[in-house]
Amino acid sequence: MTSFGHLHGPHPADAHITLDLREHFRDPHWDTTLRELTSHDHQVIRAVLRTPGIRPMIAATVAQAQAYASGPNAAEHPLHIAVGCAGGRHRASVTARLLARRLRRRGHHVTLHHRDLHRPVVHRPRST
């Protein structure tokens, strides 16, 4: 599983499932108290989890991943899930961490890589 920010480059091309959180889920970046924080901070985790639709989307993605894992070629072709938002520091990394945790609880081996979490905040104009 890879979390990433679209502003730092394209999504991983080898992903079987790509979640694009940019347009449908509130961006913590626009809260100035959260902007410089990351998914390591409790305030960011809380803000992402309080976003309407995030929890059902996570549950649906877990179900989708389990369907892939039950396929006849699952052992030869490990599933790659990519989770992206604008900068990769808030929504994508929180969501990927929660997805990984839920899948591990269901017995799946999950390797999690946060491609852009270490990158600086991308300052951008607010879209209208």
Side-chain angles (χ1 to χ4, degrees):
M1 184 171 315
T2 305
S3 74
F4 70 97
H6 286 275
L7 295 172
H8 298 292
H11 72 279
D14 64 339
H16 300 95
I17 299 170
T18 301
L19 303 177
D20 184 345
L21 308 178
R22 291 176 293 176
E23 298 296 325
H24 294 91
F25 300 100
R26 184 174 49 238
D27 188 352
H29 172 87
W30 299 116
D31 180 336
T32 57
T33 65
L34 301 177
R35 184 171 295 156
E36 299 293 331
L37 302 179
T38 70
S39 65
H40 293 299
D41 297 292
H42 182 71
Q43 304 95 306
V44 171
I45 296 167
R46 186 174 50 238
V48 171
L49 284 176
R50 288 182 176 169
T51 301
I54 279 286
R55 290 176 190 260
M57 191 270 315
I58 290 171
T61 305
V62 168
Q64 185 178 12
Q66 289 184 286
Y68 273 84
S70 68
N73 297 322
E76 296 88 36
H77 302 283
L79 179 64
H80 184 185
I81 300 172
V83 184
C85 63
R89 296 169 48 93
H90 300 115
R91 294 168 290 181
S93 52
V94 168
T95 301
R97 182 176 291 137
L98 294 171
L99 278 169
R101 183 180 338 166
R102 288 195 186 183
L103 288 167
R104 287 178 184 131
R105 286 181 184 161
R106 286 162 177 76
H108 300 282
H109 172 76
V110 179
T111 302
L112 177 57
H113 172 66
H114 297 292
R115 187 187 81 184
D116 300 318
L117 183 61
H118 68 285
R119 296 184 187 267
V121 171
V122 176
H123 295 282
R124 59 194 196 268
R126 189 171 189 117
S127 60
T128 55

